[in-house]
């Protein structure tokens, strides 16, 4: 690795709810079909984090302000303001025609930064964002730093997303800077457009409070997409490790997004890599936080003191769009 061009994490700030609702007490739970209720109870989610009377944009702006307030001389990249703001798109934008990204920029007082939204990749958006952020810094030596943010909220009122997961609330902001740690060692990402219409919300014909997510084919999600994910991620993990010049035995631990407990078992068996327990802990406590999951898991693991300099952390991420990403970080 060329340390002159190494790009890593400067700082991370997360926003999590202090109020968590037991799964069975969600307002829509009594209206679920027996199959939907059984799925939710077997998901591994015990409580769901709830932040009332807020939007995804509110949460993203709050996370950015918290991160900027915490920057100081000891932060990798220093106290300077990032000059690029990348908002990972929420499940539904807060406004049409307007700009959620520029709204977050204004509320965070990031004057002079260029703000834009990376959208259409679901949970995988955060992994794609940090790869794009690294590329932007490598491409332009004058660029100071890239700030990535995301807010997680359900699309409508319902949080049970059958047959996928249960949605919780939260937000994060993180920076990518030269000399940051951990360093992004290798990354691969792919999409498959044939699954683009597997999930949809008919938002044009009904008011917001009646928005309902529709899955065109639960069987296609559970079998065809699952098989596609199995083959792609197995190959992509091998490719990322080859790009970094290491093998699986060199990986200290593996993280992924928090969708269901059974997903951890599926990928552990597939890849022969143990998924770190912090993923399941966050799933049980907060539910699925969309594109925030992998950042929350990585930040918690780094703060735990379990890792030593040079340790390698593999991060898997995928979404029903369908999109897949694999990233190798070096502490």
């Amino acid at each position: 690795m060329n340390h002159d061009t190494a790009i890593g994490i400067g700082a991370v700030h997360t926003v999590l709810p202090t109020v968590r609702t037991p799964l069975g007490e969600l307002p829509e739970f009594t209206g679920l079909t027996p199959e939907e209720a059984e799925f939710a109870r077997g998901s591994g989610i015990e409580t769901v984090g709830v932040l009332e009377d807020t939007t995804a944009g509110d949460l993203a702006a709050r996370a950015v302000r918290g991160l900027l307030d915490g920057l100081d001389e000891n932060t990798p990249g220093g106290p300077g303001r990032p000059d690029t703001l990348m908002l990972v798109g929420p499940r539904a934008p807060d406004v049409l025609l307007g700009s959620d990204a520029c709204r977050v920029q204004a509320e965070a007082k990031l004057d002079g930064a260029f703000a834009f939204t990376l959208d259409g990749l679901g949970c995988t958006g955060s992994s794609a964002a940090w790869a794009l952020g690294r590329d932007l810094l490598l491409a332009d030596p004058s660029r100071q730093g890239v700030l990535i943010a995301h807010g997680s909220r359900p699309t409508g009122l319902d949080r049970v997303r059958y047959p996928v997961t249960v949605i919780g609330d939260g937000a994060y902001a993180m920076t990518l800077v030269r000399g940051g740690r951990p360093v992004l060692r290798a990354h691969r990402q792919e999409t498959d457009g044939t699954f683009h219409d597997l999930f949809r919300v008919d938002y044009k014909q009904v008011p917001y409070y009646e928005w309902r997510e529709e899955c065109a084919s639960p069987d296609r999600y559970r079998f065809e997409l699952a098989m596609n994910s199995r083959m792609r991620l197995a190959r992509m993990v091998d490719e990322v490790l080859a790009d970094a010049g290491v093998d699986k035995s060199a990986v200290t631990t593996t993280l992924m997004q928090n969708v269901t407990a059974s997903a951890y078992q599926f990928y552990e068996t597939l890849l022969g890599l143990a998924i770190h327990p912090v993923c399941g802990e966050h799933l049980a406590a907060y539910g699925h936080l969309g594109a925030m999951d992998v950042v929350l898991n990585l930040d918690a693991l780094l703060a735990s003191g379990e890792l030593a300099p040079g340790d390698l952390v593999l991060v898997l991420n995928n979404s029903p769009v369908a999109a897949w990403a694999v990233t190798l970080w070096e502490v």
Side-chain angles (χ1 to χ4, degrees):
M1 177 177 57
N2 184 348
H3 291 278
D4 294 333
T5 59
I7 306 298
I9 296 175
V12 179
H13 182 80
T14 60
V15 174
L16 289 169
T18 56
V19 176
R20 301 203 299 269
T21 301
L23 180 65
E25 295 180 15
L26 291 174
E28 74 265 30
F29 206 87
T30 56
L32 298 178
T33 66
E35 185 178 15
E36 292 169 339
E38 181 181 5
F39 160 77
R41 292 191 188 97
S43 65
I45 297 169
E46 298 173 5
T47 57
V48 178
V50 177
L51 289 162
E52 298 285 3
D53 302 320
T54 190
T55 68
D58 294 333
L59 294 176
R62 180 175 161 189
V64 172
R65 291 195 300 269
L67 182 143
L68 295 175
D69 288 345
L71 295 181
D72 58 32
E73 295 293 344
N74 296 319
T75 304
R81 300 298 229 203
D83 47 20
T84 303
L85 169 63
M86 197 185 318
L87 183 69
V88 177
R91 294 176 182 86
D94 289 343
V95 296
L96 296 177
L97 292 183
S99 172
D100 290 347
C102 289
R103 175 233 171 147
V104 172
Q105 176 190 21
E107 293 194 7
K109 296 181 171 55
L110 268 173
D111 301 333
F114 178 71
F116 66 98
T117 298
L118 188 154
D119 203 5
L121 298 176
C123 313
T124 313
S126 288
S127 298
W130 61 42
L132 177 58
R134 176 196 60 177
D135 291 348
L136 290 172
L137 289 170
L138 291 175
D140 185 353
S142 69
R143 201 178 299 276
Q144 297 179 30
V146 176
L147 194 157
I148 304 168
H150 172 74
S152 172
R153 287 278 292 164
T155 305
L157 300 181
D158 293 347
R159 294 180 179 275
V160 177
R161 188 184 177 196
Y162 176 81
V164 184
T165 190
V166 183
I167 304 298
D169 299 343
Y172 79 84
M174 65 180 288
T175 56
L176 290 175
V177 297
R178 297 175 184 84
R181 308 294 297 197
V183 170
L184 200 163
R185 281 281 304 273
H187 176 88
R188 294 268 182 146
Q189 58 194 35
E190 296 182 3
T191 59
D192 184 344
T194 60
F195 292 95
H196 75 278
D197 58 353
L198 187 55
F199 293 89
R200 68 187 295 269
V201 174
D202 183 8
Y203 74 95
K204 290 186 176 182
Q205 304 301 320
V206 296
Y208 165 81
Y209 51 83
E210 293 182 6
W211 284 5
R212 295 292 182 272
E213 182 174 302
E214 301 172 8
C215 178
S217 172
D219 285 343
R220 191 175 182 218
Y221 169 78
R222 285 182 294 221
F223 300 109
E224 184 180 347
L225 181 57
M227 182 60 66
N228 200 319
S229 296
R230 175 179 180 175
M231 293 186 296
R232 285 184 188 253
L233 282 176
R235 171 178 51 78
M236 291 170 68
V237 165
D238 290 340
E239 291 171 346
V240 164
L241 295 179
D243 291 343
V246 299
D247 57 28
K248 287 183 182 180
S249 64
V251 175
T252 305
T253 193
T254 303
L255 302 172
M256 61 179 289
Q257 83 275 21
N258 310 328
V259 180
T260 61
S262 60
Y264 304 136
Q265 301 164 4
F266 178 84
Y267 286 109
E268 283 183 339
T269 301
L270 168 66
L271 301 173
L273 293 166
I275 305 300
H276 195 280
V278 72
C279 302
E281 293 166 7
H282 287 151
L283 174 71
Y286 299 106
H288 174 52
L289 302 178
M292 179 180 179
D293 280 343
V294 290
V295 178
L296 176 64
N297 293 341
L298 181 59
D299 185 49
L301 179 60
L302 293 171
S304 70
E306 294 181 33
L307 302 176
D311 282 352
L312 298 178
V313 179
L314 192 67
V315 179
L316 316 176
N317 209 350
N318 66 347
S319 70
V321 172
W324 300 266
V326 177
T327 311
L328 187 68
W329 294 93
E330 180 181 332
V331 178

